Amino acid sequence: MSDDDQARRARAEEALRRTSASLVLLDLGGHTATGFVVSSEGHVVTSLHAVASARAITAVLPDGLRSPVVQVAAVDERRDLAVLCLSVPELVPALPLGPATLPR
């Protein structure tokens, strides 16, 4: 493996380590998706196409706790994004997004 490949792999592993605490598994009643908690209020960002036809969504938190999604707060069809709200905010740390604020 080249030095570039090793450096790229190390950066990917570090990104996974930093983000895994904010990652949730979404149980969509027959299939699953993933999302990231992005706020202390329990907002989760995921792919819209993954959750669009779901009748109920339950988030499985990193510690195994299950939290129903109580609301689809926003969708962006052009970018294929959905923002969901968990019933138990503040149980999962928000993904650090940098200096920019989330759009309203």
Side-chain angles (χ1 to χ4, degrees), residues 7-98:
R8 198 173 6 259
R9 183 179 186 142
R11 286 192 303 273
E13 288 174 357
E14 174 62 16
L16 181 60
R17 186 193 63 73
R18 286 192 332 246
T19 60
S20 63
S22 302
L23 180 67
V24 296
L25 180 68
L26 300 171
D27 180 348
L28 305 164
H31 66 282
T32 59
T34 56
F36 286 95
V37 176
V38 295
S39 75
S40 61
E41 291 83 24
H43 292 103
V44 174
V45 174
T46 190
S47 298
L48 177 59
H49 75 271
V51 298
S53 63
R55 294 179 187 252
I57 305 169
T58 301
V60 182
L61 308 182
D63 64 0
L65 181 69
R66 297 175 69 84
S67 171
V69 170
V70 294
Q71 179 184 21
V72 177
V75 297
D76 183 333
E77 291 181 14
R78 187 170 69 85
R79 293 183 179 96
D80 189 34
L81 295 174
V83 178
L84 314 174
C85 294
L86 299 180
S87 63
V88 287
E90 299 182 9
L91 287 184
V92 177
L95 180 68
L97 294 175

